[in-house]
Amino acid sequence: MSGYYLVKKGEFAYNKSTSSDAPWGAVKRLDRYENGVLSTLYIVFAINENAEIDSDYLVTYYDTDLWHRGIREIASEGARNHGLLNIAPADFFETSLSVPQDIEEQKAIGKYFTELNALITLHQRKLFYGKNTVYHMKFH
């Protein structure tokens, strides 16, 4: 497994590959599996235990383009190599994030968008599978 990262459920990974949907790469959290393996081309990170930041808020934040500004500042067009941004982990971790100081506000935002995304997925499934399919979801 040399040359790979072991990623645990709840940890994040920054994919520096660019595409039309992700012009500055993408940051995603491992949610579906207990562990995963990624190439060292990714930047893998977890939230510090002592940090006052909600993981669901970060998922929501990284689904926006608000974090692109920091990446744009450290990556230039000349730094692209076959669709891969040349961003060092130290530089990535120096980018600024827009995070409410109140942890309860972070949790409320994260919960709202998690539930909204689940609702959108539910409706997409209903459209795909037909009107007779019944789904039961409970929101708190």
Side-chain angles (χ1 to χ4, degrees):
M1 293 260 309
S2 66
Y4 291 90
Y5 291 124
L6 176 61
V7 185
K8 297 176 185 168
K9 189 173 191 173
E11 293 182 335
F12 291 82
Y14 171 49
N15 180 350
K16 299 182 277 183
S17 295
T18 61
S19 67
S20 59
D21 292 343
W24 298 100
V27 177
K28 299 295 178 185
R29 180 178 66 189
L30 180 62
D31 288 330
R32 292 186 185 178
Y33 306 101
E34 290 301 316
N35 295 301
V37 177
L38 286 175
S39 160
T40 55
L41 293 175
Y42 289 78
I43 296 175
V44 176
F45 60 99
I47 297 172
N48 187 320
E49 291 178 15
N50 302 325
E52 287 282 318
I53 189 153
D54 181 67
S55 186
D56 288 338
Y57 174 83
L58 268 190
V59 169
T60 298
Y61 182 77
Y62 283 123
D63 279 345
T64 71
D65 62 359
L66 296 173
W67 63 278
H68 292 179
R69 181 176 178 206
I71 298 299
R72 245 190 324 265
E73 291 173 1
I74 59 174
S76 66
E77 201 60 36
R80 294 176 190 252
N81 182 15
H82 304 293
L84 188 67
L85 295 170
N86 187 17
I87 298 173
D91 292 334
F92 177 80
F93 293 123
E94 287 297 318
T95 59
S96 297
L97 303 180
S98 179
V99 179
Q101 287 187 334
D102 182 8
I103 189 73
E104 294 306 317
E105 183 178 355
Q106 293 175 38
K107 289 178 181 180
I109 292 168
K111 180 180 177 190
Y112 175 81
F113 283 102
T114 298
E115 291 177 357
L116 182 61
N117 286 337
L119 186 61
I120 291 168
T121 300
L122 169 68
H123 285 285
Q124 288 172 333
R125 286 180 184 159
K126 284 171 84 173
L127 284 172
F128 181 77
Y129 291 113
K131 296 177 185 175
N132 296 329
T133 305
V134 178
Y135 295 93
H136 300 281
M137 295 191 75
K138 183 178 179 183
F139 292 102
H140 302 281

